[in-house]
Amino acid sequence: MAPTNRTPPNEPSYDLLHLRGRHPLEALFNPRSVAVVGASERQGSVGRTLLWNLISNPFGGTVYPVNPNRKSVLGIRAWPSLQSLPEPVDLVVIVTPADTVPGVMRECAEVGVKGVIIISAGFKEVGPEGMKLEQEVLQIAREAGIRIIGPNCLGVMRPTTGLNATFAGEMARPGNVAFISQSGALLTAILDWSLREAVGFSAFVSMGSMLDVGWGDVIDYLGNDPRTRSILIYMESIGDARAFLSAAREVALHKPIIVIKAGRTAQAAAAAASHTGTLVGSDEVLSAAFRRAGVLRVDSIADLFYMAEVLARQPRPIGRRLTILTNAGGPGVLATDALVMGGGELAKLSDKTVAELNSFLPPAWSHGNPVDILGDADPERYAKALEVAGADKNSDGLLVILTPQDMTEPTQTADRLKPYAKLGKPVIASWMGGSEVAAGERILNDAGIPTFGYPDTAARIFNYMWRYSYNLAGLYETPVLAEEPPGREEAERLIREARAAGRTLLTEYESKRLLEAYGIPTVETRLAATADEAVREAESLGYPVVLKLHSHRIAHKTDVGGVKLNLGTAEQVREAFEAIRRKLEELGRADGFDGVTVQPMVKLEGYELIVGSSLDAQFGPVLLFGAGGTLVEVFKDRALALPPLNTTLAGRMMEQTRIHEALKGVRGRPPVDLGALRKLMVRFSQMVVEQRFIREVDINPLLASAERLVALDARVVLHGPEVKEEELPRLAILPYPAKYVERWKMRNGEEVVIRPIRPEDEPRMAEFHKTLSEQTVFLRYAGMMKLDQRVAHERLARICFNDYGREMALVVDGGGILAVGRLTRLPGTEDAEFAMLISDAVQRQGLGSELLRRLVNVGRDWGLKRIVADILPGNGAMQRVCRKLGFQIIQPQGLDENVVSAVKVL
């Protein structure tokens, strides 16, 4: 094996390796030195408070006041400028007026500062001049690689390390909850509350205007922070939706992200041109986005902290079924109401559980759920009832309610319940009352059983818990592969021709052809320009038929009398044709009559659904599914989701609606083929993703019955011909990158397909891992990793469910998966690292070189600067592949001597 190089510090590869262990936001959250530009002695000034907070809460670093007009500030030597400081600083906090900030930023760039917090206000919130200042500041930061929090923010606090770079009045207590807020005023209020309630934080972050660092950046950083166990967010605007969803989905798998979003009103719905557009409100879309990313949304600040506490102390429920144990009927009823109204369910007690409860409870107990063990219940009765109810497999969680009656012993009961804090399912409590139950509450909280003052609050929190579990489960479930669309080129041609003609509205006939190109069944539809043609087509199809207005201009046919149903004779067809034409003349819209379409009259034996897509200002295309028909806006039974979908996500979207229950079969009706409906939704979402010039589309109704799924009517609105491809709204979630799918021949002549991984690949990945020898596993993971660990469902679900903008796994598909190569961005940088694993049976077939070559091309498409990997010194084959593709193999100084690093500068 060729010797490794020791790289000098002026090499780009050394720069990367030197910084690999330090996240780009470390300068903001864990600085080794801080300069305060605008530090002041003036009482009540932000500059004084901020400097005092930094020096009175030691964080292990040096603080430099910068003020050209003073020799010292608060007894500390002041420096006239950043250039005059005796050492480079990690973090600069700017509290000078807005118009001075660009100059300070230029100085930061000159001295190599990597993190800046801009406290100053007076930017975009004051108008165009402020916006211009912001852009100037951002340009300087981008060119110098500086990360900025703010402007117009409170600052950053890290109680666990002692950093207090804020102008808040006090330092928060240390804890394991990170709180991020766009409102500085709310932060100070929460801080004051937390000191009284002894609540601690791992980080306290005021985001301000989010000029540079956004939600995604901070979530990424805190996701890797060992001091943070959960992340709480107060959000006013989402900023970069794609970055937020990407980071949140990654982190939510191992740390709860809980959000309260202010400003919940839907906007601009009335301006939308389709049924779907009128139903999509921005707040509903945000909720759908949170579900997609595994984020929990709550409605109050109190619930934000309740959930952080509960999820830290109790396991998540696997379902929505709650058992309520109480010594009073009324509180049990209140809890039941809150549970059911929030979507939860009362657990049905098993016969075994009822029998066991009968053996020791008084005859007058409720014999059902809520389990009312009566007002004279002593600690032992509570404990035995909780043990029995907790063992019931029909229950996903338990709520224990105590009211302080004469014979009740709140403190002793709480002490007796301590052993049941870890039942394997969540246990929460409501000790109702005041001073009489306070000691019992403390005992339960100390034991890890969260308590709530009121039972309906506890039930609401349980509903949040199971919803959170439900959202996360969607990230892990393995979907079924849907078929590829048969007519992608035909769809592109239809849209291209319409836009070339200057049209933004496809006719119903064209819309149905577009759907058929994506494998979505439609009712047979024929065009007729005259009454005679309409009769001919009707007789060819067979009576009865439907006549509908054919128009390039009119969107909703029903609104202008443009639909005539159940026509059984030629005379009726002629009359219907003329009636549609006359109605448009009466409305002064004769130019909207381009003939009619003739369709067979389909018996409406089934359910009328709506499937659609429209644009959201923040998230781009948004999908809709729900109950359809002419009263769609009245019933408003719908669910929203972000494309692209797979079968799992499609099923979960459908489950959000009330009509989903009916589709499973009710009142003697056979069930709809839900598997086929899920696949139809996947193909529809694929159409929305691939045909980017579609602005709005709806299928209403989509008739769903046990026998078939068929689109009876469809309408498609396009972006105007003036809209260029690069101006189209961005998808919030990157779709499957089909451009990386290619055929390739191995050295033995066998043809394989190299393609990005899909969630549906999980079973095949499990089979792939069975083909690996111990030596191959050791070289890949730098140690032994057992097969059952490698094929664990949660691990493989995470590996197969790629965010294609954050990581790209390419698999070699030769009937089964033969090899995998993965490129993963290093958070907050323009660098990425690769890893590779090749089945023993196909090693030395050129797969390693080919996969790495393609990953390098992906890196170039991403705009990366460098690609790196850690390799065991004994893995000579991988080192040879890297050298062949222009990587340097080096032994970086000061890093792990048991690995070498491969680095390629792009």
Side-chain angles (χ1 to χ4, degrees), residues 588-617:
R589 303 184 68 178
D591 60 345
F593 184 79
D594 298 310
V596 297
T597 61
V598 186
Q599 304 166 28
M601 181 71 195
V602 177
K603 288 184 179 179
L604 294 179
E605 292 178 355
Y607 299 96
E608 291 186 279
L609 306 175
I610 181 171
V611 175
S613 173
S614 62
L615 289 181
D616 179 81

Short mmCIF file of all heavy atoms in Angstrom, two decimals, residues 588-617:
data_model
loop_
_atom_site.label_atom_id
_atom_site.label_comp_id
_atom_site.label_asym_id
_atom_site.label_seq_id
_atom_site.Cartn_x
_atom_site.Cartn_y
_atom_site.Cartn_z
N GLY A 588 -73.67 36.28 -21.82
CA GLY A 588 -72.69 37.11 -22.52
C GLY A 588 -71.34 36.45 -22.66
O GLY A 588 -70.31 37.13 -22.78
N ARG A 589 -71.35 35.13 -22.69
CA ARG A 589 -70.08 34.40 -22.76
C ARG A 589 -70.09 33.41 -23.92
O ARG A 589 -69.56 32.30 -23.83
CB ARG A 589 -69.82 33.67 -21.45
CG ARG A 589 -69.81 34.60 -20.24
CD ARG A 589 -69.45 33.88 -18.95
NE ARG A 589 -68.06 33.44 -18.96
CZ ARG A 589 -67.49 32.81 -17.93
NH1 ARG A 589 -68.19 32.57 -16.83
NH2 ARG A 589 -66.22 32.43 -17.99
N ALA A 590 -70.70 33.84 -25.02
CA ALA A 590 -70.81 32.95 -26.18
C ALA A 590 -69.45 32.52 -26.71
O ALA A 590 -69.30 31.43 -27.29
CB ALA A 590 -71.60 33.64 -27.29
N ASP A 591 -68.41 33.37 -26.50
CA ASP A 591 -67.08 33.02 -27.00
C ASP A 591 -66.46 31.87 -26.22
O ASP A 591 -65.43 31.31 -26.61
CB ASP A 591 -66.14 34.22 -26.93
CG ASP A 591 -65.96 34.76 -25.52
OD1 ASP A 591 -66.76 34.39 -24.64
OD2 ASP A 591 -65.01 35.53 -25.30
N GLY A 592 -67.11 31.49 -25.10
CA GLY A 592 -66.61 30.37 -24.31
C GLY A 592 -67.15 29.02 -24.76
O GLY A 592 -66.83 27.99 -24.17
N PHE A 593 -67.99 29.02 -25.82
CA PHE A 593 -68.58 27.77 -26.31
C PHE A 593 -67.74 27.21 -27.46
O PHE A 593 -67.70 27.79 -28.55
CB PHE A 593 -70.01 27.99 -26.77
CG PHE A 593 -70.71 26.73 -27.20
CD1 PHE A 593 -71.23 25.86 -26.24
CD2 PHE A 593 -70.85 26.41 -28.54
CE1 PHE A 593 -71.88 24.69 -26.64
CE2 PHE A 593 -71.48 25.24 -28.94
CZ PHE A 593 -72.00 24.39 -27.98
N ASP A 594 -67.06 26.08 -27.21
CA ASP A 594 -66.25 25.43 -28.25
C ASP A 594 -66.81 24.05 -28.59
O ASP A 594 -66.09 23.19 -29.11
CB ASP A 594 -64.80 25.28 -27.79
CG ASP A 594 -64.13 26.63 -27.54
OD1 ASP A 594 -64.22 27.50 -28.42
OD2 ASP A 594 -63.55 26.81 -26.44
N GLY A 595 -68.09 23.83 -28.28
CA GLY A 595 -68.70 22.53 -28.51
C GLY A 595 -69.00 21.85 -27.19
O GLY A 595 -69.09 22.50 -26.13
N VAL A 596 -69.16 20.52 -27.24
CA VAL A 596 -69.45 19.75 -26.03
C VAL A 596 -68.59 18.48 -26.02
O VAL A 596 -68.00 18.10 -27.03
CB VAL A 596 -70.94 19.34 -25.96
CG1 VAL A 596 -71.84 20.55 -25.87
CG2 VAL A 596 -71.33 18.43 -27.13
N THR A 597 -68.54 17.87 -24.84
CA THR A 597 -68.00 16.51 -24.77
C THR A 597 -69.16 15.58 -24.49
O THR A 597 -70.13 15.94 -23.81
CB THR A 597 -66.95 16.36 -23.65
OG1 THR A 597 -67.55 16.64 -22.39
CG2 THR A 597 -65.77 17.29 -23.88
N VAL A 598 -69.07 14.37 -25.03
CA VAL A 598 -70.10 13.35 -24.84
C VAL A 598 -69.46 12.20 -24.08
O VAL A 598 -68.40 11.69 -24.46
CB VAL A 598 -70.65 12.85 -26.19
CG1 VAL A 598 -71.83 11.90 -25.96
CG2 VAL A 598 -71.05 14.02 -27.08
N GLN A 599 -70.13 11.80 -22.98
CA GLN A 599 -69.59 10.74 -22.13
C GLN A 599 -70.71 9.80 -21.74
O GLN A 599 -71.87 10.21 -21.64
CB GLN A 599 -68.98 11.35 -20.86
CG GLN A 599 -67.92 12.39 -21.11
CD GLN A 599 -67.60 13.20 -19.86
OE1 GLN A 599 -67.74 12.72 -18.75
NE2 GLN A 599 -67.16 14.43 -20.05
N PRO A 600 -70.39 8.53 -21.51
CA PRO A 600 -71.44 7.62 -21.02
C PRO A 600 -71.91 8.06 -19.63
O PRO A 600 -71.12 8.59 -18.85
CB PRO A 600 -70.74 6.26 -20.97
CG PRO A 600 -69.28 6.57 -20.93
CD PRO A 600 -69.09 7.84 -21.67
N MET A 601 -73.17 7.86 -19.34
CA MET A 601 -73.71 8.19 -18.02
C MET A 601 -73.30 7.08 -17.05
O MET A 601 -73.77 5.96 -17.13
CB MET A 601 -75.24 8.29 -18.08
CG MET A 601 -75.90 8.65 -16.77
SD MET A 601 -75.58 10.36 -16.31
CE MET A 601 -76.08 10.34 -14.59
N VAL A 602 -72.39 7.44 -16.17
CA VAL A 602 -71.88 6.45 -15.22
C VAL A 602 -72.77 6.44 -13.99
O VAL A 602 -73.07 7.48 -13.41
CB VAL A 602 -70.42 6.80 -14.82
CG1 VAL A 602 -69.91 5.81 -13.76
CG2 VAL A 602 -69.53 6.79 -16.04
N LYS A 603 -73.21 5.25 -13.59
CA LYS A 603 -74.02 5.14 -12.38
C LYS A 603 -73.16 5.51 -11.17
O LYS A 603 -72.07 4.97 -10.99
CB LYS A 603 -74.54 3.71 -12.22
CG LYS A 603 -75.63 3.35 -13.21
CD LYS A 603 -76.18 1.96 -12.92
CE LYS A 603 -77.29 1.60 -13.91
NZ LYS A 603 -77.81 0.24 -13.64
N LEU A 604 -73.63 6.43 -10.37
CA LEU A 604 -72.88 6.90 -9.22
C LEU A 604 -73.04 5.95 -8.05
O LEU A 604 -73.53 6.31 -6.97
CB LEU A 604 -73.30 8.32 -8.85
CG LEU A 604 -72.97 9.40 -9.88
CD1 LEU A 604 -73.47 10.74 -9.41
CD2 LEU A 604 -71.48 9.45 -10.16
N GLU A 605 -72.66 4.69 -8.26
CA GLU A 605 -72.68 3.70 -7.19
C GLU A 605 -71.28 3.64 -6.62
O GLU A 605 -70.41 2.94 -7.12
CB GLU A 605 -73.14 2.35 -7.72
CG GLU A 605 -74.60 2.35 -8.15
CD GLU A 605 -75.03 1.01 -8.71
OE1 GLU A 605 -74.16 0.13 -8.84
OE2 GLU A 605 -76.21 0.86 -9.02
N GLY A 606 -71.07 4.39 -5.59
CA GLY A 606 -69.75 4.51 -4.99
C GLY A 606 -69.65 5.83 -4.27
O GLY A 606 -70.65 6.46 -3.94
N TYR A 607 -68.43 6.27 -4.05
CA TYR A 607 -68.19 7.51 -3.33
C TYR A 607 -67.54 8.53 -4.25
O TYR A 607 -66.63 8.21 -5.02
CB TYR A 607 -67.26 7.25 -2.13
CG TYR A 607 -67.84 6.26 -1.14
CD1 TYR A 607 -67.50 4.91 -1.19
CD2 TYR A 607 -68.75 6.68 -0.17
CE1 TYR A 607 -68.04 4.01 -0.30
CE2 TYR A 607 -69.29 5.78 0.74
CZ TYR A 607 -68.94 4.44 0.66
OH TYR A 607 -69.48 3.54 1.54
N GLU A 608 -68.05 9.76 -4.18
CA GLU A 608 -67.46 10.84 -4.94
C GLU A 608 -66.32 11.48 -4.13
O GLU A 608 -66.55 11.98 -3.03
CB GLU A 608 -68.51 11.90 -5.28
CG GLU A 608 -69.55 11.42 -6.28
CD GLU A 608 -70.49 12.55 -6.68
OE1 GLU A 608 -71.43 12.81 -5.91
OE2 GLU A 608 -70.26 13.16 -7.73
N LEU A 609 -65.13 11.43 -4.69
CA LEU A 609 -63.95 11.98 -4.03
C LEU A 609 -63.40 13.15 -4.83
O LEU A 609 -63.75 13.33 -6.00
CB LEU A 609 -62.85 10.91 -3.90
CG LEU A 609 -63.25 9.60 -3.23
CD1 LEU A 609 -62.09 8.61 -3.30
CD2 LEU A 609 -63.68 9.83 -1.79
N ILE A 610 -62.56 13.94 -4.19
CA ILE A 610 -61.82 14.97 -4.90
C ILE A 610 -60.33 14.73 -4.66
O ILE A 610 -59.91 14.42 -3.55
CB ILE A 610 -62.21 16.40 -4.44
CG1 ILE A 610 -61.43 17.45 -5.23
CG2 ILE A 610 -62.01 16.59 -2.95
CD1 ILE A 610 -61.90 18.88 -5.01
N VAL A 611 -59.57 14.84 -5.73
CA VAL A 611 -58.11 14.77 -5.66
C VAL A 611 -57.59 15.98 -6.40
O VAL A 611 -58.02 16.25 -7.53
CB VAL A 611 -57.58 13.47 -6.32
CG1 VAL A 611 -56.05 13.47 -6.34
CG2 VAL A 611 -58.10 12.25 -5.58
N GLY A 612 -56.71 16.74 -5.78
CA GLY A 612 -56.28 17.97 -6.45
C GLY A 612 -54.92 18.44 -6.00
O GLY A 612 -54.27 17.87 -5.13
N SER A 613 -54.50 19.53 -6.63
CA SER A 613 -53.25 20.19 -6.26
C SER A 613 -53.37 21.67 -6.57
O SER A 613 -53.97 22.06 -7.58
CB SER A 613 -52.07 19.60 -7.03
OG SER A 613 -50.89 20.35 -6.80
N SER A 614 -52.83 22.50 -5.68
CA SER A 614 -52.75 23.94 -5.94
C SER A 614 -51.46 24.45 -5.31
O SER A 614 -50.72 23.69 -4.68
CB SER A 614 -53.97 24.67 -5.37
OG SER A 614 -54.02 24.51 -3.97
N LEU A 615 -51.20 25.74 -5.47
CA LEU A 615 -49.94 26.32 -5.00
C LEU A 615 -50.10 27.00 -3.65
O LEU A 615 -51.09 27.69 -3.41
CB LEU A 615 -49.41 27.34 -6.01
CG LEU A 615 -48.87 26.80 -7.33
CD1 LEU A 615 -48.37 27.95 -8.18
CD2 LEU A 615 -47.75 25.81 -7.09
N ASP A 616 -49.12 26.81 -2.80
CA ASP A 616 -49.01 27.56 -1.55
C ASP A 616 -47.81 28.47 -1.66
O ASP A 616 -46.77 28.10 -2.22
CB ASP A 616 -48.84 26.60 -0.37
CG ASP A 616 -48.71 27.33 0.94
OD1 ASP A 616 -49.75 27.73 1.49
OD2 ASP A 616 -47.57 27.53 1.40
N ALA A 617 -47.94 29.70 -1.13
CA ALA A 617 -46.87 30.69 -1.28
C ALA A 617 -45.57 30.23 -0.65
O ALA A 617 -44.48 30.57 -1.13
CB ALA A 617 -47.31 32.01 -0.65
#
